[in-house]
Amino acid sequence: MGSNSSRIGDLPKNEYLKKLSGTESVSENDPFWNQLLSFSFPAPTSSTELKLLEEATISVCRSLVENNPRTGNLGALIKVFLSRTKELKLSAECQNHIFIWQTHNALFIICCLLKVFIYEMSEEELQLHFTYEEKSPGSYSSDSEDLLEELLCCLMQLITDIPLLDITYEISVEAVSTMVVFLSCQLFHKEVLRQSISHKYLMRGRCLPYTSKLVKTLLYNFIRQEKPPPPGAHVFPQQSDAGGLLYGLASGVATGLWTVFTLGGVGSKAAAAPEVSSPLANQSLLLLLILANLTDAADAPNPYRQAIVSFKNTQDSSPFPSSIPHAFQINFNSLYMALCEQQTSDQATLLLYTLLHQNSNIRTYMLARTDMENLVLPILEILYHVEERNSHHVYMALIVLLILTEDDGFNRSIHEVMLKNITWYSERVLTEISLGSLLILVVIRTIQYNMTRTRDKYLHTNCLAALANMSAQFRSLHQYAAQRIISLFSLLSKKHNKVLEQATQSLRSSLSSNDVPLPDYAQDLNVIEEVIRMMLEIINSCLTNSLHHNPNLVYALLYKRDLFEQFQTHPSFQDIMQNIDLVITFFSSRLLQAGAELSVERVLEIIKQVVALPKDRLKKFPELKFKYVEEEQPEEFFIPYVWSLVYNSAVGLYWNPQDIQLFTMDSD
C-alpha cells in the first residue's frame, strides 16, 4: 500500500500492492516491505465501506492467488510479519510506535488476503500456498517449517503475551480477527465441518499448549471490556521529519477501523446490533464461541471446550484432578459481573448458557450468589422484548432460565428478592414485586406471544417447564402474577373450546359431503390439551406445596371458578382437577359463612385467616421437575448460530452474503 495510499478507491492501482501480487518475487529482506507497510487510508466506518474495501482489493488478492505459486510472496509477507512479532513485546515496552504500527499493517494485509484465499480455494490448496517459495513455477519446499502452523501459533502468542496498551490495542484486535478468518472456511460449507485442516492445527501440535492460556485471555478480554484508545492517544510524537510524515499516516489507523454492521438474521429478523464499545471484547467473545463449538477430532475431544467446562474460581484452592487437561483459574466475581452487564448481545447470552450448562463450577457459584437479580433481570428483559429479538436469542435466554429453575434454592430465593419500579415492564405499573413473581409474568407473556404469533411448540414447552420447576416454591405471589396465571388458563380454555367447536362443525359437514377432506383437528386438540394439563399441574403443584403462602392465587381461583367446571369431568383432567376443585369448594364455603357482598380486602383477609387444608386431603402427584437436555448433535444448531453471530456482529470483517453457504442470509 505504502505512504501514498489515501483512499480505498486508490487501492487497485497502488504500486506496492501491484508488486506484492505481481509476477516478481520479493525477498523477505527487501526494503520494499517497509514501504508497503507504511500505509494509511480513511478507515471503513460502515458495512458499505467495508464492502468497498473488499471490492477494491479483490483484484489484488486474486492476482496474488494466481502468481503466488511462482513468486512465494504470500510466504515472504508472512515471514516478514513473523520476524517482527519476535520483537513486538520489547517494542511495546519501549513504546516503539512505528514498529508496532507497521507490524499491525502487515497483519491487516495478511487478514485481508486470507479472507479471499479461504473463499477462493480448498483448505488443501490454501495449505499449499503457504509452502510456495521463489523457485520455478509451482515448486514448493516440503522440508521447511510449516508456515501455516507457525502463523497460527504466532497469533495465539500475540493474543496471550503482548501487553494490552494504547499502542497495541489495534494489533490485538487484528490478531483475534485473523484467527476468526482462519476458521471462516465453515461459512462456505452447507454442512458442519467435522474434519478441517485449521481444526487439526488448533487441536494438536504446537498450538495445543496455548489452549488454556488462550481461553483465559479471551475470557479476560470479555470481562475487562477495554475500550479502544482515543484518537491520537497511541500515535508517536513528531520528533523528526520521518516522525511527522508517519504521524499523519498512522492517525488514520488509530480510530474508526472497527465498526459494527448488521446484514440480516438467520431464519428470523436480526435484532439491530448495539454499538460495540469494546471491539477487542467483542471479537474475543466471538472467537471463544467459535473455538468452544469446534467439533471433536476423531481421536481427541475439543481442547478448548475442555478448558471452558473445567476452569475454576481463583479463590478455589483445591487441586485440579489429573484427568482434567487445559485447566486454569479465573476471577468468578469479575466474570459474573461482566455477564450481568453484557446480556443485551446474543453472544454474551450464548456464553452464559455455555458456562451454566457445561461448567459445574460456574453454575454452583452463580446459584450461590445473593444478587441473582443482576443476572435474571437482563434475561427477563430479553424475553419481554421478544418482538425485537431474533428467535435464537430468545431461546438461549429461556434455556438459561430453565437451567436456573432446576435448582430449588434458586426457586425459593427469587421470591425473597423485592424489586421496585420495573420501568421496562409497560403492561402495568409494578411499584413493588418479587423477582419470582416478575419471572412468572414475563414467562407467561412469552407463552401468550407465542400462542398468537410464532406458535413454536419448543418455546411453549420450555416456558411451561420453567414454570413447572418453580411451582412448588411459589411464595407470596403478586396479585397480578396470580391473575395472569389464571388468565393464561382462560385463554387456553377458550382456544380449546374453539377448536372443539370447529372439529364438531367439520365432522357434521363431512357427513353431508363425502368429497370434502376432514381437517386434522385431533392433533390441534391434543396439543392444546397437553398445555392445559401442564397448566393445571402447575396450579396443583403450588396448591399442594404452598397453599397458605399464596392467598392471591386462591383469590384468583375463586374469582374465575367457572373456568374449571368444564374440566372436572373431562377424562384427561379428572385426576388433576380433584385438588383444585377441593380448594375452590373449601374456600367458597368459608366465604359463604362470612356473608354476602364481601370486599376484595375482606375476601383476602378471610383466605389468609382460614386454617390451611390438611395435606392428607390433597391427592399427591409426582413432583414437577424438568431438566434441560441438549439435543443430539447440538453442533448442527450451535455452529451455524455462532457463525451467524460472527457474520452480524464481527467488527471490521465483511463477507459477501451471496457467498455464505452455512445459513441463509437476508440481503441488505
Side-chain angles (χ1 to χ4, degrees):
M1 294 185 184
S3 60
N4 293 327
S5 288
S6 58
R7 294 186 303 110
I8 290 176
D10 296 334
L11 294 179
K13 304 172 186 175
N14 182 274
E15 58 180 298
Y16 298 101
L17 290 178
K18 281 185 173 181
K19 185 172 181 178
L20 172 67
S21 61
T23 57
E24 179 187 345
S25 295
V26 184
S27 165
E28 58 195 88
N29 299 314
D30 196 302
F32 160 81
W33 298 109
N34 281 332
Q35 298 167 327
L36 171 71
L37 301 178
S38 297
F39 71 84
S40 177
F41 54 84
T45 56
S46 68
S47 59
T48 302
E49 292 179 2
L50 284 161
K51 185 178 180 181
L52 286 176
L53 175 62
E54 179 94 356
E55 292 170 347
T57 55
I58 191 70
S59 60
V60 173
C61 296
R62 285 177 174 165
S63 179
L64 183 61
V65 170
E66 182 181 346
N67 294 321
N68 187 59
R70 299 179 183 84
T71 65
N73 284 348
L74 175 65
L77 171 62
I78 290 169
K79 288 175 182 176
V80 168
F81 169 73
L82 292 174
S83 67
R84 284 172 171 269
T85 56
K86 293 173 183 175
E87 303 174 42
L88 200 56
K89 194 170 183 178
L90 181 61
S91 298
E93 293 170 357
C94 299
Q95 297 285 299
N96 190 335
H97 299 259
I98 297 178
F99 188 89
I100 294 170
W101 167 55
Q102 290 186 330
T103 308
H104 165 269
N105 285 351
L107 184 54
F108 179 77
I109 295 174
I110 290 169
C111 188
C112 290
L113 291 172
L114 279 174
K115 274 181 80 266
V116 177
F117 272 63
I118 288 169
Y119 169 66
E120 292 278 339
M121 63 190 67
S122 68
E123 283 193 294
E124 291 75 17
E125 290 174 295
L126 175 66
Q127 191 177 29
L128 203 56
H129 270 274
F130 274 77
T131 65
Y132 292 135
E133 295 183 349
E134 182 189 355
K135 288 185 180 180
S136 57
S139 64
Y140 60 92
S141 172
S142 58
D143 56 351
S144 63
E145 246 187 305
D146 192 324
L147 198 59
L148 180 53
E149 182 177 40
E150 192 174 349
L151 177 58
L152 270 173
C153 285
C154 176
L155 292 173
M156 295 174 87
Q157 289 174 323
L158 199 160
I159 294 167
T160 58
D161 294 347
I162 300 302
L164 188 60
L165 310 169
D166 281 354
I167 58 173
T168 61
Y169 190 93
E170 269 85 6
I171 196 169
S172 296
V173 176
E174 200 63 44
V176 177
S177 297
T178 305
M179 284 201 70
V180 171
V181 168
F182 251 120
L183 293 160
S184 67
C185 55
Q186 176 65 81
L187 283 171
F188 312 113
H189 292 80
K190 290 184 178 180
E191 304 298 326
V192 168
L193 290 178
R194 300 184 184 278
Q195 290 186 337
S196 166
I197 291 173
S198 55
H199 296 184
K200 182 190 73 174
Y201 280 122
L202 287 170
M203 292 191 186
R204 63 192 71 188
R206 294 170 56 193
C207 293
L208 189 61
Y210 293 98
T211 297
S212 58
K213 197 172 184 182
L214 178 62
V215 171
K216 183 176 182 177
T217 302
L218 295 175
L219 275 171
Y220 269 126
N221 286 347
F222 167 72
I223 289 169
R224 289 166 180 153
Q225 295 289 319
E226 292 281 357
K227 293 178 172 58
H234 70 302
V235 180
F236 40 85
Q238 301 181 54
Q239 295 179 342
S240 64
D241 290 340
L245 168 68
L246 291 173
Y247 179 92
L249 301 176
S251 61
V253 182
T255 60
L257 196 59
W258 326 114
T259 183
V260 179
F261 58 94
T262 304
L263 296 173
V266 181
S268 64
K269 180 183 72 175
E275 182 181 350
V276 172
S277 60
S278 175
L280 180 60
N282 184 73
Q283 300 295 83
S284 295
L285 177 52
L286 291 171
L287 177 57
L288 182 65
L289 292 171
I290 293 169
L291 294 171
N293 286 282
L294 294 177
T295 54
D296 294 334
D299 55 349
N302 177 349
Y304 302 94
R305 189 182 301 121
Q306 286 182 315
I308 287 169
V309 305
S310 61
F311 68 82
K312 297 196 304 184
N313 196 352
T314 48
Q315 296 180 350
D316 188 344
S317 58
S318 61
F320 282 103
S322 57
S323 59
I324 299 180
H326 316 297
F328 64 92
Q329 291 178 290
I330 203 166
N331 187 305
F332 276 16
N333 181 64
S334 300
L335 178 57
Y336 177 80
M337 297 305 293
L339 287 166
C340 292
E341 292 167 4
Q342 299 300 320
Q343 286 306 304
T344 51
S345 75
D346 285 62
Q347 48 267 38
T349 306
L350 181 54
L351 176 64
L352 174 59
Y353 158 79
T354 303
L355 296 177
L356 273 175
H357 178 51
Q358 299 186 10
N359 189 316
S360 59
N361 300 319
I362 277 281
R363 184 168 60 253
T364 301
Y365 173 85
M366 287 187 177
L367 289 169
R369 294 280 304 202
T370 57
D371 60 348
M372 278 298 287
E373 67 273 18
N374 293 333
L375 184 67
V376 175
L377 281 172
I379 297 297
L380 294 182
E381 197 167 353
I382 293 168
L383 294 175
Y384 185 79
H385 296 294
V386 60
E387 302 94 336
E388 302 165 18
R389 302 289 179 181
N390 69 67
S391 59
H392 291 347
H393 198 184
V394 172
Y395 284 147
M396 287 298 103
L398 189 53
I399 293 170
V400 164
L401 282 186
L402 180 55
I403 292 171
L404 292 174
T405 61
E406 291 171 12
D407 183 76
D408 286 341
F410 171 83
N411 295 331
R412 283 191 297 271
S413 66
I414 56 176
H415 292 287
E416 298 167 2
V417 177
M418 298 307 297
L419 308 168
K420 293 187 177 181
N421 300 318
I422 308 301
T423 55
W424 48 262
Y425 194 96
S426 59
E427 272 88 345
R428 178 166 172 156
V429 176
L430 300 174
T431 53
E432 187 173 60
I433 189 171
S434 71
L435 179 60
S437 288
L438 181 64
L439 197 161
I440 292 166
L441 285 175
V442 172
V443 172
I444 287 175
R445 185 180 184 275
T446 306
I447 293 173
Q448 291 180 323
Y449 174 83
N450 186 51
M451 286 175 65
T452 57
R453 304 284 184 86
T454 56
R455 299 183 181 181
D456 187 321
K457 187 178 178 181
Y458 178 82
L459 192 140
H460 250 31
T461 303
N462 284 284
C463 284
L464 291 167
L467 288 176
N469 284 348
M470 294 187 291
S471 59
Q473 308 292 338
F474 284 173
R475 293 290 188 278
S476 304
L477 290 183
H478 190 280
Q479 62 178 18
Y480 187 50
Q483 289 171 18
R484 298 310 295 164
I485 290 172
I486 305 304
S487 294
L488 175 57
F489 185 80
S490 174
L491 182 65
L492 292 166
S493 176
K494 289 175 183 176
K495 196 171 183 65
H496 179 267
N497 292 341
K498 183 179 179 180
V499 174
L500 196 58
E501 184 180 345
Q502 288 173 336
T504 304
Q505 290 177 352
S506 176
L507 185 59
R508 286 172 183 162
S509 299
S510 67
L511 292 175
S512 60
S513 175
N514 295 328
D515 299 330
V516 179
L518 187 65
D520 186 12
Y521 288 110
Q523 185 176 357
D524 290 345
L525 269 176
N526 285 337
V527 171
I528 295 170
E529 289 181 358
E530 282 178 16
V531 178
I532 287 175
R533 179 165 181 93
M534 190 78 157
M535 281 303 301
L536 288 171
E537 288 180 344
I538 289 167
I539 295 169
N540 180 72
S541 174
C542 175
L543 297 178
T544 306
N545 292 281
S546 52
L547 175 64
H548 59 293
H549 290 298
N550 291 291
N552 285 324
L553 182 61
V554 174
Y555 180 92
L557 277 172
L558 294 172
Y559 188 74
K560 291 285 187 178
R561 71 188 79 179
D562 294 347
L563 271 177
F564 298 90
E565 289 178 359
Q566 63 175 305
F567 298 107
Q568 289 174 359
T569 56
H570 194 292
S572 298
F573 312 122
Q574 273 182 319
D575 58 337
I576 204 74
M577 278 299 303
Q578 289 180 25
N579 286 344
I580 296 172
D581 185 46
L582 180 61
V583 169
I584 290 173
T585 303
F586 178 82
F587 281 96
S588 294
S589 65
R590 296 303 186 277
L591 293 176
L592 283 173
Q593 293 171 13
E597 302 298 327
L598 300 174
S599 66
V600 173
E601 292 76 14
R602 179 58 182 152
V603 171
L604 278 170
E605 185 182 339
I606 293 169
I607 291 171
K608 291 175 184 177
Q609 289 174 351
V610 170
V611 178
L613 272 168
K615 284 195 173 184
D616 57 1
R617 292 183 62 184
L618 295 174
K619 183 180 177 181
K620 294 295 181 185
F621 287 87
E623 183 183 12
L624 289 180
K625 239 4 173 178
F626 294 88
K627 189 175 177 62
Y628 170 70
V629 179
E630 206 167 63
E631 294 181 7
E632 291 184 14
Q633 294 187 314
E635 64 275 7
E636 297 291 340
F637 168 80
F638 285 104
I639 290 177
Y641 179 33
V642 168
W643 278 105
S644 73
L645 297 181
V646 174
Y647 182 91
N648 284 297
S649 310
V651 178
L653 291 175
Y654 170 82
W655 287 276
N656 188 331
Q658 296 177 345
D659 298 334
I660 305 299
Q661 298 292 317
L662 183 60
F663 45 80
T664 303
M665 290 308 310
D666 297 329
S667 299
D668 255 342

